[in-house]
Amino acid sequence: MLLQLLALQLLWLGPTAAKKDKPEISSHKFDNAPSNFFYFDDSNTILLHDREGGVVHRSEDAGKTWDKVDIEGKAWDLWRHPHDNKKAYIMGKASTHWHTNDQGKTWKDFEIPKARPSLFRAPLAFHAKDSDKVLIHGEVCRNRGLIDCKETTFYTNNGFETVAELRKNTRGCVFAHATPEFQTGDDDKNDDRIICVTTGRISFDRRQHKLAVSDNYFEDEVEPSLEGDRTVQGIINIAVVKGYLVVAARAPRTDELALYVTDDARTWHRAVFPSDSRLKEDAYTILESTSYSIQVDVMTVDPPNPMGVLFTSNSNGTYFTKNIPHTNRNMNGIVDFEKVQGIQGIVIVNVVENFEEVEGSYGREEKKLQSQISFDDGRTFKDLKADKKNLHLHSVTEMKNIGRVFSSPAPGLIMGVGNTGKYLKSYEEGDLWVSDDAGLTWTQALEEAHKYEFGDQGSILVAVYDEGPTDVVQYSLDHGKKWHQVDLPEGKIRAKALTTTPDSTSMKFFLWGTKGGGSNTEHWVFSIDFEDMHEGKCKEKDFEEWYARVDDNGKPSCVMGRKQFFERRKADADCFIREKKFEEIKPEFETCECTEEDFECDYNFVKKGKDCVPGRPLPDPKGVCKGDTKKYKASSGFRKIPGNGCKGGVDREKKVERPCGDTLKPPVSGEVNTERTAFPAQSFRAYFYLERTESSSESEKGSKDETVIMRTDKSEVYMSRDHGKTWDQILKDKKIKDIYPHPHFNDVCYFITDGDVHYYTINRGDTFGDFKAPSEPTRDRDLQTLGFHADYKDWLIWTGAEDCDKKGDCHNTAWYSTDRGGNWEYLLRYVRKCEFIKKEGRGDKEKLVYCESFKGEKLSGPLQLQWSDNWFAKPNDLFENIVDFATMSEFIIVATRDQTDKDSLKVDASVDGQTFADALFPSNFNVPVQKAYTVLDSHTHAVFMHVTVGDTKNAEYGSIIKSNSNGTSYVLSLDSVNRNTPGYVDFEKMLGLEGVALVNVVANIEDAERGNGKKLKTMITHNDGAEWSLLRAPQQDPEGKPYECKTDNIADCSLHLHGYTERRDPRSVYSSPSAVGLMMAVGNVGEYLTDKSEKTSDTFITRDGGIEWHAVKKGNYMWEYGDQGSVIVIVRDTVSTDEIFYSLDEGETWIPYRFSNKKVHVAILSTVPSDTSLNFLLWGQEEDSDSEIVTFNLDFSQLRERERQCNLKENEPDDPESDYYFWEPKHPLSDSNCLFGHVARYHRKIVDRECFNGRSIQHLHNIARNCECTRADFECDYNYEPAKDGSCKLVSGLEPPDHSQVCKEDPKKASYYLPTGYRKVPLSTCEGGNELDKYAPTEEPCPGHEKDFEDRHRGLGGFWLFILAVVLPIGIASAVGYWVWQNWDNRFGKIRLGDQGSAFDAERPWIKYPIAAVSGVVAVLAAVPLLVGSLWKWASGMFGGGRRYTTRGSFARGRGDYAVVDEDELLGEDDDEEV
């Protein structure tokens, strides 16, 4: 009877009561590989994305059964809300997307207005405290193309009920509350605070990117001050890390980055690292951090075998200290670093044991890795131990699964694949290891490598074989001591991923694997369910109190003032936790007594040994340090780490007595200080500034790092770290023949000797290295021996002489190195020169190289231009019979001999370095034989080119023509512009202001060609060459007397200035980008420019961008701007002197200062290229000495007028405490301040304020408004020329350009404009008004778009008309490539977060999207005022001969994008006898 009842009971209970001894496994086959899948937290619901099919699948039972979401074929990407376990998002390819609020049961679509998701960054950014608030990164493209796309951020604050535009021209935005840990201090006020990286105020150049903050969805915005009261440009990325907001910035001409950190989204600090550790772009990783510190790994050894050093910050993220050196990292910046989840203070890292061998091997030495663990938050590390043997585990750099590598929320349980021994072996030689005491001890779990997961709070461990196909899954129910296996239902599969719920509380697991291979590959997913196994529910006796951290004696240890312990299931308990599904185990804490480790340095203090000492003068305690009071109570230098829970014990916060002197700055002397240094030589041969950039860290040798390097005629090199106050000879006993500062990285400089071993520094002279060259340097005095890459500072091209012992066969061979000269590989023989084409700011192929080579390897053969992107393993011919080529900021210009007329030249242009188009010169510009071109400038989206018209010796002149946006179509800008015999042109752009340039024109061409000398007049343009005018003369001379001619008659009485062709020092340019609006020059007032003599020349200044000029001094003076124009120094030129004059009020008054008790012939007056220093250098020779040369340092920092730093109220410009005002430049013929279609407002120091500028100011504050268009915003279109009345008239006999060509190039384009004779100046942003390029009814529909045209009644904007003048065979590639490069998130300085690794990251569409190539940086030819090549003539004339030298000083005045150019490298002007 009992048996019958039992049978009936079992029958009644059914299958639910039949407990099993193995987990249940179910399978499901998918058509394609999953591109992404995830659990919703605290649930068994999974979403799986099949991008190939555009499908999202959903399972509510952890993968047993699946349904398709009803948007089949449209799903481009899938995102889970990281802070709301009900919400997810499906992104479509276009403007329609979908969201769910119920874990995917239902979906609702939403639209991003006229936009598609961004291809260059994660499309969504989330609010941690309000899941209805989401930011959407999109891009708005005209006519559905990729060109002219504006990256725009949108937002919703109501769960996608509505979507609105947040801001245009963004480069990534985040909510301040992007993580639960971040606190703004006032949550109600700043709950909607958003921080965006945005483009510059005018330029889209990445160097102009800035930060913008708004609390009201960008109805208003401010640019935060990141460094003191100064804003910072060059922002390249932003991230929220736990309780910190981190921003990375990069200045031009360096690969060093600055990190700025805030923990409240209000007050920012620059992160300070030890002086021997500098952050480099793509060379640091922000790791998984804590709520009280940031962990950063900084790369110390470059790829291909990168290593790093681990740093940890103080609690506000500003000061970093070194934790452990030689950390292992891979080429993608991923670091072998992981915190044990859920437990404070335990970190596992891999380090490189043979670091010394790896450091110098350039990738040839294989890294030997060892694993280390820390139980005290990284203060100390020790070996991992398995039965007294060292254990090494594969870590984050070799991700074999998704999610975390070692740990989970299961307290204390860690698994990993590795081996015991001295070093880590390959993954296939590893076994599976387990620890249940948070890494203190380890045991072998399974032989061979396995993927693994944790479930039921650690009660269940699951593993699947990972070295090949398998048909079983293994599991353990006792912390990995014993293992069981269960068969997979579909036979053998190759495991791809094994996972479970994020909190590891579930008893269900999800496995994805493949069967077969190639086109027969099948994709299977498996649900592994332990819920119906026979183990019962755990009771109180099945749990233990487990302390998370113990010391070497096994006693619980403290981190952040607390001991941490958990109630967890015992390893041998025969039960499952079950009822606590989706409930993580919460840690419990015991309070510890305070120790020294619980304190950090207080604000204004820095670590020195075990003490914290003042890092700067301490704040003045008001009302305390008065009279005879000598001490006051102040901070001890320590404070308890915020969030630390310790009590009692050590108290390092107790205030101490400090001397009142700690609060005082040393008093200034009130005088200019002078330091004289003499050198045993007869002349200086070259000098260079290795200037710190805005993102550079402090030098090891001190914060006032203004490094100068100088070479004498004795081939001796001296270096000063303090701007010439003290000098040391470097590289003693080495004969230095040439010095090559890197044109793209200020910290790098090369020294060429007379032997085969040469030297370099990569840290502004802190240390020096050497390399052996593959041959002797080139013997061609007009060529550079070294060529440099714009992005990779270790990539070099060496041009050397070979076979020079063979008569008549001495030729150049090019070699390349990618490891700073450590190894050289052959590139090409019989070359004239080779050059990297990849330039900073352009997206060319990294290995793209141009070489001018002699055809057939014969010096008698014609020059040909070849290119290669594989180190000339396969050369490609571009042009034969070339003269030269020039690389520009946006173009590459090549001059070749005309095929129909060998005595004439032709020009071709390219924007991608591989596809060229003919340059079409204006039809009214008739030069029968084009013999020479001089490329002047291309900063304003157009090439300025001087074409020689008359080449009679000493009577040379030509015309300046200006191109369209791809350098192929030109219009005439100005005739009769002066040039000299070598080809240099009197043309100079004003630095720091848009579109202002000065030229000298020849007023008597016929008379000059008869040998009677040139008569020159100076002209100026304020709208980028569209209009030119004479310079209005000042009313009085330097002595206050009127000029002889009538200054109101500008045709016969104007100001004329000596230009570039007469300049001894090419660095003596008129202006400085940091002294906005200021120019100085030497010249005269009259009908023409006179000779440059003391009797006929005066020195002049303008303070308003060249509109009004003032006479300064009689005679010729050299000048330099200091502290961004707050100090100007002038000294006599060509006349020996013992005094200088300086001005503190922009040249209104001049103060004499005697710097020497002897007369000195001053050859050079210099300062740092950025003109931001208060120090200057005089270089010269005293009158009574012929065996010594001298320098004089002039230090103006001790003036009382420059004792205080100026107060810049960036966001409160009208604050009376601000020392700056807004200055608005304007066109002289305009009544308004509109210039280039907008009113630009610049910060300028109030002239009479007694303070110094200090850190470089971003002078352009904003564009106050766009203006209505006027005639000044337009120039003449192709085939049109200026008439006498200023209008643009069609050249007689010519046809207007065919603007309908744009319809053929872009079938989606709806309309075009018929030519009106005008095209908008590229810099102009004007709107409405007199739009001369859009006279109705000149807009016409494109074929097939007539209906759209009728509906829209609108046409293209001014910029597009500008590029429609001719067929643009390469325009699309240019626009696409430049835009992609500007926006691609995976470029310089990307902030990498250590916990973002995933098997699916690389599949994100914005990463996979193809990157197009464009071209790049300026190499200015011939006429550019800062041309390096002309230094040879300057050096030989001034200092007595020698080779030509390239100098960083020659890139002065902030022109960071000038490359080294050969002397006399103008495009043409060959000898007649050459063929």
Side-chain angles (χ1 to χ4, degrees), residues 1070-1356:
Y1070 298 139
S1071 57
S1072 166
S1074 66
V1076 175
L1078 298 181
M1079 282 195 286
M1080 293 195 71
V1082 172
N1084 62 274
V1085 171
E1087 187 176 1
Y1088 304 108
L1089 181 67
T1090 62
D1091 63 307
K1092 193 176 182 180
S1093 67
E1094 286 293 312
K1095 292 183 179 180
T1096 60
S1097 296
D1098 296 333
T1099 302
F1100 299 87
I1101 192 171
T1102 177
R1103 306 179 188 94
D1104 56 8
I1107 297 176
E1108 184 176 351
W1109 290 80
H1110 308 273
V1112 171
K1113 292 286 182 183
K1114 298 288 286 184
N1116 297 332
Y1117 281 79
M1118 293 181 280
W1119 60 89
E1120 274 290 359
Y1121 306 95
D1123 189 43
Q1124 305 173 66
S1126 85
V1127 180
I1128 307 174
V1129 174
I1130 60 174
V1131 66
R1132 296 298 293 268
D1133 190 8
T1134 71
V1135 177
S1136 294
T1137 183
D1138 58 1
E1139 71 174 357
I1140 56 101
F1141 294 87
Y1142 68 91
S1143 174
L1144 305 179
D1145 54 10
E1146 296 185 348
E1148 292 279 2
T1149 59
W1150 295 90
I1151 304 167
Y1153 171 73
R1154 188 179 183 192
F1155 65 87
S1156 175
N1157 54 12
K1158 297 180 181 180
K1159 295 283 186 179
V1160 178
H1161 175 74
V1162 178
I1164 312 166
L1165 167 63
S1166 71
T1167 187
V1168 296
S1170 64
D1171 296 330
T1172 56
S1173 175
L1174 283 166
N1175 283 262
F1176 299 79
L1177 263 179
L1178 300 174
W1179 309 71
Q1181 196 167 37
E1182 293 168 340
E1183 277 191 336
D1184 59 354
S1185 174
D1186 58 3
S1187 61
E1188 283 188 340
I1189 50 180
V1190 291
T1191 61
F1192 293 87
N1193 168 271
L1194 306 176
D1195 184 355
F1196 289 82
S1197 65
Q1198 293 296 301
L1199 293 179
R1200 291 189 176 89
E1201 297 91 334
R1202 295 296 178 263
E1203 180 179 10
R1204 174 181 67 87
Q1205 182 164 10
C1206 300
N1207 187 11
L1208 174 64
K1209 298 284 188 177
E1210 179 74 38
N1211 299 309
E1212 303 172 62
D1214 298 324
D1215 192 310
E1217 294 185 3
S1218 175
D1219 293 308
Y1220 297 86
Y1221 72 100
F1222 282 145
W1223 176 69
E1224 298 178 354
K1226 66 178 183 179
H1227 194 285
L1229 302 180
S1230 172
D1231 295 331
S1232 70
N1233 287 351
C1234 290
L1235 188 62
F1236 296 110
H1238 52 256
V1239 176
R1241 300 197 296 178
Y1242 292 81
H1243 290 293
R1244 286 182 69 170
K1245 177 180 169 292
I1246 299 173
V1247 171
D1248 59 358
R1249 292 294 174 92
E1250 295 186 348
C1251 58
F1252 67 93
N1253 287 303
R1255 177 185 169 87
S1256 182
I1257 300 167
Q1258 309 304 330
H1259 287 278
L1260 179 60
H1261 176 74
N1262 65 0
I1263 301 301
R1265 68 180 187 279
N1266 284 332
C1267 306
E1268 290 189 343
C1269 296
T1270 67
R1271 172 64 179 87
D1273 295 299
F1274 297 88
E1275 59 192 3
C1276 292
D1277 202 352
Y1278 185 69
N1279 283 354
Y1280 289 80
E1281 63 181 347
K1284 290 183 179 180
D1285 61 359
S1287 63
C1288 294
K1289 300 295 184 183
L1290 184 67
V1291 177
S1292 178
L1294 299 180
E1295 294 292 328
D1298 181 12
H1299 285 188
S1300 68
Q1301 180 66 34
V1302 68
C1303 300
K1304 299 177 183 178
E1305 295 170 6
D1306 185 356
K1308 297 179 181 178
K1309 194 165 289 293
S1311 64
Y1312 66 96
Y1313 283 95
L1314 294 176
T1316 65
Y1318 299 88
R1319 66 184 188 189
K1320 188 185 286 187
V1321 175
L1323 289 178
S1324 178
T1325 61
C1326 70
E1327 299 172 339
N1330 191 13
E1331 294 184 286
L1332 298 178
D1333 59 342
K1334 295 182 181 178
Y1335 285 134
T1338 60
E1339 187 183 7
E1340 296 289 334
C1342 286
H1345 291 269
E1346 289 80 4
K1347 187 176 185 306
D1348 293 342
F1349 176 78
E1350 293 176 4
D1351 293 339
R1352 284 194 310 112
H1353 294 294
R1354 286 199 305 273
L1356 297 173

Side-chain angles (χ1 to χ4, degrees), residues 74 142 457 572 825 1129:
K74 302 176 183 178
R142 300 183 65 171
Q457 300 183 10
D572 57 357
E825 300 291 339
V1129 174

